[in-house]
Amino acid sequence: MPAILAGVAARSKVLGRLLVECGELSDDALASALQEQRQTGLRLGEVLVRRGLADEAAIALALSAQLNLPVADAPLEPESGALALVRPELARERKVLPLAATGRVLRLAMVDPLDLRTIDDIQFQTGRRVEPSVAAASVLAEALARSYGGELSDIVDRLPGHRPTNDDSARALERAASAAPIVKLVDLILRRAVEQRASDIHIERHERELHVRYRIDGVLQRVMDLPSASHPAVISRIKVMAGMDIAVKRRPQDGRFPLSHGATRLTVRVSTLPTSGGEKAVIRILDPADSPRNLDALGVADDDLARLRALLAQGQGVILAAGPTGSGKTSTLFGALGELDRDRLNIVTLEDPIEYRLPGISQVHVQPRAGLTFAAALRAILRQDPDVVMVGEIRDGETAEIAMSAATTGHLVLSTIHTNDAAGTIGRLLHMGVPPYLVAAGLAGVVAQRLVRRLCAACGGRGTGCDRCHDGYRGRIGVFEVLVVDDGLRAEILREAPLAALRAVAAENGMRPMTEDARRKVEAGITSSEELARVAGLTTSTTPPCTSCGAEVPSGALGCPGCGALRRHACACGHDLEKGWRFCPFCLRPAAQGNSG
């Protein structure tokens, strides 16, 4: 044990350096992981695997070298006599597997051989001295399921074998929700979701089964099929945990509760909805560690990142993150907030609900039912001498107009909006009823984005994936386009120019389309063309190809960038000219002075 005690004191430093020295980890990646470890309390190995920075097998080998312990390689084949010494529940909870036993010694495979509390507990319970060996987490999990039987099947076998009844009283539902197998089942659903990095859990009843699905890296995956009769008890258990009324089934409800996973404290949001098959529950899992500390972690290209940081440095104007639901807009805003000086600036956020806590700022939970709408709260905040205001979402013209007005008086306003691309955001604001002069004066820039899955670093996305990924992907990264509002674009906004003209001016000002950023990430081996095809809009050109050479022609362009063939008849002032016009109606130049084609 002395070697293990010595390893506890410096395990993070030694483990990290070993991984760097053997080429499994860079110095920058180690520094970033150590910073996250200090903030979350997780073990360094957990942080590295979770972020895809190191392989489980590499960590096991490094621990083995660090502590001078043997490695338990797959497949793990425990002796039956050794298995009987440790309860299945304890083995699963502590991630250990007894391999062999004598009258005095128990050989134990462990994911973390530095877990002295577990070693002490098992030594006390078995009366034997524990000799640990190191095993990769996935190898040990597979051996646990094979040796002790699946945890899920054990729980399902113990579920109350009842038929659906008409007893919907609160007391009956409370009894069902507090039954030990139901409590264990819901805990298992939550624990596995966290372990598999799921962002959402969907629980819904069908005719004969209760389906449980996890959203992992943006894709829903069916992970469990449970007996249909367990539905009322499972939903009631979730409602009890979230502080909701279990007797109310015919109207939607929302709730939340904290969830501890190791040293990490998560926030869980719950939403229920009455459906024809019974109530459906959707559970959102929020991990504070997932909040980006700055813009570097988002995957923005260097040139776009410089443009975005220049917008923040101006200290005024409205900067919008645009995209559909689930495209990472909130993460972009928090990454931007992380770049600001929170000690010297008065920063206030309006959110519905508050997802991530950020030290040094004031966060307000908008509650429309109580009259605290985004617009009302924004008006109140502007009387609080703010420097920076983050509005969770621009939902209506009133909020948009107040935000633009605040920007013209010297405030920096960050918010999100649901539009498909950066240039389309301008049209959306105008359609909301915001006056063109206010959009032109207040809008500083737009970051449009989507999230695509990363190819797994361990298997490179080949085949059906590996033990660290799902279908060859692990984690997600953003693809972006950054629009900066300059004088030329302001002039186009003031005359309410069409979308094609806005895109053309933005491109002249340096905006590269999102599809170009996506293609660069494919060429760099970060994601795949198949993943881009899955994410709607990233691979579909908005304009037909050039009829002369087949090259892609940018939206709003006069001609083909490949062969120079003219695409449209336009005046020198930039407006399209229709056949038969002798003069441009916008600048009164003769039509003959325009481009012909």
Short mmCIF file of all heavy atoms in Angstrom, two decimals, residues 109-148:
data_model
loop_
_atom_site.label_atom_id
_atom_site.label_comp_id
_atom_site.label_asym_id
_atom_site.label_seq_id
_atom_site.Cartn_x
_atom_site.Cartn_y
_atom_site.Cartn_z
N ALA A 109 -9.82 -6.31 -9.69
CA ALA A 109 -9.67 -5.41 -10.84
C ALA A 109 -10.41 -4.12 -10.55
O ALA A 109 -11.57 -4.14 -10.14
CB ALA A 109 -10.23 -6.06 -12.10
N MET A 110 -9.75 -2.98 -10.77
CA MET A 110 -10.33 -1.68 -10.42
C MET A 110 -10.08 -0.68 -11.56
O MET A 110 -9.03 -0.70 -12.19
CB MET A 110 -9.70 -1.12 -9.14
CG MET A 110 -9.73 -2.06 -7.95
SD MET A 110 -9.00 -1.29 -6.46
CE MET A 110 -10.20 -0.02 -6.09
N VAL A 111 -11.06 0.21 -11.78
CA VAL A 111 -10.84 1.32 -12.70
C VAL A 111 -9.91 2.33 -12.06
O VAL A 111 -9.04 2.89 -12.72
CB VAL A 111 -12.18 1.97 -13.08
CG1 VAL A 111 -11.95 3.27 -13.86
CG2 VAL A 111 -13.03 1.01 -13.90
N ASP A 112 -10.08 2.55 -10.76
CA ASP A 112 -9.25 3.50 -10.03
C ASP A 112 -8.60 2.82 -8.84
O ASP A 112 -9.19 2.73 -7.76
CB ASP A 112 -10.09 4.69 -9.56
CG ASP A 112 -9.25 5.74 -8.85
OD1 ASP A 112 -8.01 5.61 -8.86
OD2 ASP A 112 -9.83 6.68 -8.29
N PRO A 113 -7.39 2.32 -8.98
CA PRO A 113 -6.72 1.64 -7.86
C PRO A 113 -6.32 2.60 -6.74
O PRO A 113 -5.82 2.16 -5.71
CB PRO A 113 -5.49 1.02 -8.51
CG PRO A 113 -5.21 1.88 -9.69
CD PRO A 113 -6.54 2.35 -10.19
N LEU A 114 -6.54 3.91 -6.94
CA LEU A 114 -6.26 4.90 -5.90
C LEU A 114 -7.47 5.14 -5.00
O LEU A 114 -7.43 5.99 -4.12
CB LEU A 114 -5.82 6.21 -6.53
CG LEU A 114 -4.53 6.14 -7.35
CD1 LEU A 114 -4.32 7.43 -8.12
CD2 LEU A 114 -3.35 5.87 -6.45
N ASP A 115 -8.56 4.43 -5.26
CA ASP A 115 -9.76 4.57 -4.44
C ASP A 115 -9.57 3.78 -3.14
O ASP A 115 -10.00 2.63 -2.99
CB ASP A 115 -10.97 4.04 -5.22
CG ASP A 115 -12.28 4.28 -4.50
OD1 ASP A 115 -12.25 4.74 -3.34
OD2 ASP A 115 -13.33 4.00 -5.08
N LEU A 116 -8.92 4.42 -2.17
CA LEU A 116 -8.58 3.73 -0.92
C LEU A 116 -9.80 3.40 -0.08
O LEU A 116 -9.79 2.41 0.66
CB LEU A 116 -7.62 4.60 -0.11
CG LEU A 116 -6.28 4.94 -0.79
CD1 LEU A 116 -5.40 5.73 0.15
CD2 LEU A 116 -5.59 3.68 -1.24
N ARG A 117 -10.85 4.22 -0.18
CA ARG A 117 -12.06 3.93 0.59
C ARG A 117 -12.66 2.60 0.17
O ARG A 117 -13.06 1.78 1.01
CB ARG A 117 -13.09 5.05 0.41
CG ARG A 117 -14.35 4.87 1.24
CD ARG A 117 -15.22 6.11 1.15
NE ARG A 117 -15.86 6.22 -0.15
CZ ARG A 117 -17.10 5.75 -0.39
NH1 ARG A 117 -17.77 5.13 0.55
NH2 ARG A 117 -17.63 5.91 -1.58
N THR A 118 -12.72 2.35 -1.14
CA THR A 118 -13.26 1.09 -1.63
C THR A 118 -12.37 -0.08 -1.20
O THR A 118 -12.87 -1.13 -0.77
CB THR A 118 -13.39 1.13 -3.16
OG1 THR A 118 -14.40 2.08 -3.50
CG2 THR A 118 -13.76 -0.23 -3.72
N ILE A 119 -11.07 0.08 -1.31
CA ILE A 119 -10.15 -0.98 -0.89
C ILE A 119 -10.34 -1.31 0.59
O ILE A 119 -10.43 -2.48 0.98
CB ILE A 119 -8.69 -0.58 -1.18
CG1 ILE A 119 -8.46 -0.55 -2.70
CG2 ILE A 119 -7.72 -1.55 -0.52
CD1 ILE A 119 -7.09 -0.05 -3.10
N ASP A 120 -10.43 -0.28 1.43
CA ASP A 120 -10.64 -0.50 2.87
C ASP A 120 -11.96 -1.20 3.14
O ASP A 120 -12.03 -2.13 3.96
CB ASP A 120 -10.60 0.84 3.62
CG ASP A 120 -9.19 1.42 3.68
OD1 ASP A 120 -8.23 0.65 3.45
OD2 ASP A 120 -9.07 2.63 3.93
N ASP A 121 -13.04 -0.76 2.45
CA ASP A 121 -14.37 -1.36 2.67
C ASP A 121 -14.36 -2.84 2.31
O ASP A 121 -14.90 -3.69 3.05
CB ASP A 121 -15.43 -0.63 1.85
CG ASP A 121 -15.75 0.75 2.41
OD1 ASP A 121 -15.33 1.04 3.54
OD2 ASP A 121 -16.42 1.54 1.70
N ILE A 122 -13.77 -3.18 1.17
CA ILE A 122 -13.78 -4.58 0.73
C ILE A 122 -12.86 -5.43 1.61
O ILE A 122 -13.17 -6.60 1.90
CB ILE A 122 -13.40 -4.66 -0.76
CG1 ILE A 122 -14.53 -4.02 -1.60
CG2 ILE A 122 -13.16 -6.10 -1.20
CD1 ILE A 122 -14.27 -4.01 -3.08
N GLN A 123 -11.74 -4.87 2.04
CA GLN A 123 -10.89 -5.61 2.97
C GLN A 123 -11.63 -5.91 4.27
O GLN A 123 -11.52 -7.01 4.83
CB GLN A 123 -9.61 -4.81 3.25
CG GLN A 123 -8.62 -4.83 2.10
CD GLN A 123 -7.31 -4.13 2.43
OE1 GLN A 123 -6.28 -4.45 1.87
NE2 GLN A 123 -7.35 -3.16 3.32
N PHE A 124 -12.38 -4.92 4.76
CA PHE A 124 -13.13 -5.12 6.01
C PHE A 124 -14.22 -6.18 5.84
O PHE A 124 -14.41 -7.04 6.70
CB PHE A 124 -13.73 -3.79 6.45
CG PHE A 124 -14.56 -3.88 7.70
CD1 PHE A 124 -13.97 -3.97 8.96
CD2 PHE A 124 -15.95 -3.90 7.62
CE1 PHE A 124 -14.74 -4.07 10.10
CE2 PHE A 124 -16.73 -4.00 8.75
CZ PHE A 124 -16.12 -4.09 10.01
N GLN A 125 -14.96 -6.11 4.70
CA GLN A 125 -16.09 -7.02 4.50
C GLN A 125 -15.64 -8.44 4.19
O GLN A 125 -16.33 -9.40 4.54
CB GLN A 125 -16.98 -6.48 3.37
CG GLN A 125 -17.70 -5.19 3.73
CD GLN A 125 -18.54 -4.65 2.57
OE1 GLN A 125 -18.91 -5.40 1.68
NE2 GLN A 125 -18.81 -3.36 2.60
N THR A 126 -14.53 -8.60 3.50
CA THR A 126 -14.10 -9.94 3.10
C THR A 126 -13.09 -10.55 4.05
O THR A 126 -12.85 -11.77 4.01
CB THR A 126 -13.48 -9.90 1.68
OG1 THR A 126 -12.31 -9.09 1.71
CG2 THR A 126 -14.46 -9.34 0.67
N GLY A 127 -12.47 -9.73 4.89
CA GLY A 127 -11.43 -10.23 5.78
C GLY A 127 -10.17 -10.64 5.06
O GLY A 127 -9.37 -11.44 5.58
N ARG A 128 -9.98 -10.12 3.86
CA ARG A 128 -8.81 -10.47 3.05
C ARG A 128 -8.09 -9.19 2.62
O ARG A 128 -8.69 -8.14 2.45
CB ARG A 128 -9.23 -11.27 1.80
CG ARG A 128 -9.70 -12.68 2.11
CD ARG A 128 -10.39 -13.28 0.90
NE ARG A 128 -10.68 -14.70 1.09
CZ ARG A 128 -11.74 -15.15 1.75
NH1 ARG A 128 -12.61 -14.30 2.29
NH2 ARG A 128 -11.95 -16.45 1.87
N ARG A 129 -6.80 -9.31 2.41
CA ARG A 129 -6.00 -8.19 1.92
C ARG A 129 -6.22 -8.05 0.42
O ARG A 129 -6.11 -9.02 -0.33
CB ARG A 129 -4.52 -8.43 2.23
CG ARG A 129 -3.59 -7.33 1.69
CD ARG A 129 -2.18 -7.49 2.24
NE ARG A 129 -1.65 -8.83 1.96
CZ ARG A 129 -1.07 -9.18 0.82
NH1 ARG A 129 -0.95 -8.30 -0.14
NH2 ARG A 129 -0.60 -10.40 0.67
N VAL A 130 -6.53 -6.83 -0.01
CA VAL A 130 -6.82 -6.58 -1.43
C VAL A 130 -5.53 -6.28 -2.18
O VAL A 130 -4.73 -5.45 -1.77
CB VAL A 130 -7.80 -5.40 -1.59
CG1 VAL A 130 -7.86 -4.94 -3.05
CG2 VAL A 130 -9.19 -5.80 -1.11
N GLU A 131 -5.34 -6.99 -3.29
CA GLU A 131 -4.26 -6.70 -4.23
C GLU A 131 -4.88 -6.16 -5.51
O GLU A 131 -5.46 -6.91 -6.30
CB GLU A 131 -3.44 -7.95 -4.52
CG GLU A 131 -2.62 -8.43 -3.33
CD GLU A 131 -1.74 -9.61 -3.69
OE1 GLU A 131 -1.88 -10.15 -4.82
OE2 GLU A 131 -0.91 -10.02 -2.86
N PRO A 132 -4.82 -4.83 -5.72
CA PRO A 132 -5.52 -4.26 -6.88
C PRO A 132 -4.73 -4.42 -8.17
O PRO A 132 -3.50 -4.52 -8.18
CB PRO A 132 -5.62 -2.77 -6.52
CG PRO A 132 -4.48 -2.52 -5.59
CD PRO A 132 -4.22 -3.81 -4.85
N SER A 133 -5.47 -4.49 -9.27
CA SER A 133 -4.89 -4.40 -10.61
C SER A 133 -5.75 -3.41 -11.39
O SER A 133 -6.90 -3.15 -11.04
CB SER A 133 -4.86 -5.77 -11.30
OG SER A 133 -6.15 -6.33 -11.33
N VAL A 134 -5.20 -2.85 -12.46
CA VAL A 134 -5.85 -1.77 -13.19
C VAL A 134 -6.59 -2.33 -14.40
O VAL A 134 -6.04 -3.13 -15.17
CB VAL A 134 -4.82 -0.73 -13.67
CG1 VAL A 134 -5.53 0.50 -14.23
CG2 VAL A 134 -3.90 -0.33 -12.52
N ALA A 135 -7.86 -1.88 -14.58
CA ALA A 135 -8.66 -2.30 -15.73
C ALA A 135 -9.29 -1.08 -16.39
O ALA A 135 -9.66 -0.12 -15.70
CB ALA A 135 -9.75 -3.28 -15.31
N ALA A 136 -9.40 -1.10 -17.70
CA ALA A 136 -10.11 -0.03 -18.42
C ALA A 136 -11.59 -0.09 -18.06
O ALA A 136 -12.16 -1.16 -17.83
CB ALA A 136 -9.92 -0.19 -19.93
N ALA A 137 -12.22 1.07 -18.00
CA ALA A 137 -13.62 1.15 -17.54
C ALA A 137 -14.55 0.29 -18.39
O ALA A 137 -15.42 -0.41 -17.86
CB ALA A 137 -14.08 2.62 -17.55
N SER A 138 -14.41 0.36 -19.71
CA SER A 138 -15.31 -0.40 -20.58
C SER A 138 -15.08 -1.90 -20.43
O SER A 138 -16.03 -2.69 -20.47
CB SER A 138 -15.12 0.02 -22.03
OG SER A 138 -13.77 -0.15 -22.42
N VAL A 139 -13.83 -2.32 -20.25
CA VAL A 139 -13.51 -3.74 -20.06
C VAL A 139 -14.14 -4.24 -18.77
O VAL A 139 -14.76 -5.32 -18.72
CB VAL A 139 -11.99 -3.95 -20.04
CG1 VAL A 139 -11.65 -5.38 -19.61
CG2 VAL A 139 -11.39 -3.65 -21.41
N LEU A 140 -14.02 -3.45 -17.70
CA LEU A 140 -14.57 -3.88 -16.43
C LEU A 140 -16.10 -3.89 -16.46
O LEU A 140 -16.74 -4.78 -15.90
CB LEU A 140 -14.06 -2.96 -15.32
CG LEU A 140 -14.31 -3.49 -13.90
CD1 LEU A 140 -13.09 -3.30 -13.02
CD2 LEU A 140 -15.50 -2.78 -13.28
N ALA A 141 -16.72 -2.89 -17.13
CA ALA A 141 -18.19 -2.85 -17.20
C ALA A 141 -18.74 -4.08 -17.91
O ALA A 141 -19.74 -4.67 -17.49
CB ALA A 141 -18.62 -1.57 -17.92
N GLU A 142 -18.07 -4.47 -19.01
CA GLU A 142 -18.52 -5.67 -19.74
C GLU A 142 -18.38 -6.92 -18.88
O GLU A 142 -19.25 -7.79 -18.86
CB GLU A 142 -17.70 -5.79 -21.02
CG GLU A 142 -18.18 -6.86 -21.99
CD GLU A 142 -17.63 -8.25 -21.67
OE1 GLU A 142 -16.53 -8.30 -21.07
OE2 GLU A 142 -18.30 -9.24 -21.99
N ALA A 143 -17.29 -7.00 -18.13
CA ALA A 143 -17.08 -8.17 -17.28
C ALA A 143 -18.07 -8.20 -16.12
O ALA A 143 -18.53 -9.28 -15.71
CB ALA A 143 -15.64 -8.17 -16.75
N LEU A 144 -18.42 -7.05 -15.57
CA LEU A 144 -19.42 -7.00 -14.49
C LEU A 144 -20.76 -7.52 -14.97
O LEU A 144 -21.43 -8.31 -14.28
CB LEU A 144 -19.56 -5.56 -13.97
CG LEU A 144 -18.51 -5.06 -12.99
CD1 LEU A 144 -18.68 -3.57 -12.75
CD2 LEU A 144 -18.63 -5.82 -11.66
N ALA A 145 -21.18 -7.05 -16.16
CA ALA A 145 -22.46 -7.50 -16.70
C ALA A 145 -22.46 -9.01 -16.96
O ALA A 145 -23.45 -9.71 -16.71
CB ALA A 145 -22.77 -6.74 -17.99
N ARG A 146 -21.32 -9.52 -17.46
CA ARG A 146 -21.24 -10.95 -17.76
C ARG A 146 -21.15 -11.79 -16.49
O ARG A 146 -21.72 -12.88 -16.41
CB ARG A 146 -20.01 -11.21 -18.65
CG ARG A 146 -19.90 -12.64 -19.15
CD ARG A 146 -18.68 -12.83 -20.03
NE ARG A 146 -17.43 -12.70 -19.27
CZ ARG A 146 -16.60 -11.69 -19.38
NH1 ARG A 146 -16.88 -10.69 -20.22
NH2 ARG A 146 -15.49 -11.63 -18.64
N SER A 147 -20.48 -11.28 -15.47
CA SER A 147 -20.22 -12.08 -14.27
C SER A 147 -21.37 -12.05 -13.27
O SER A 147 -21.72 -13.07 -12.68
CB SER A 147 -18.94 -11.57 -13.58
OG SER A 147 -17.84 -11.63 -14.47
N TYR A 148 -21.95 -10.87 -13.08
CA TYR A 148 -23.02 -10.75 -12.08
C TYR A 148 -24.41 -10.70 -12.70
O TYR A 148 -25.42 -10.70 -11.98
CB TYR A 148 -22.82 -9.47 -11.27
CG TYR A 148 -21.71 -9.57 -10.24
CD1 TYR A 148 -20.58 -8.77 -10.34
CD2 TYR A 148 -21.81 -10.42 -9.16
CE1 TYR A 148 -19.56 -8.82 -9.40
CE2 TYR A 148 -20.81 -10.49 -8.20
CZ TYR A 148 -19.69 -9.70 -8.32
OH TYR A 148 -18.70 -9.76 -7.37
#
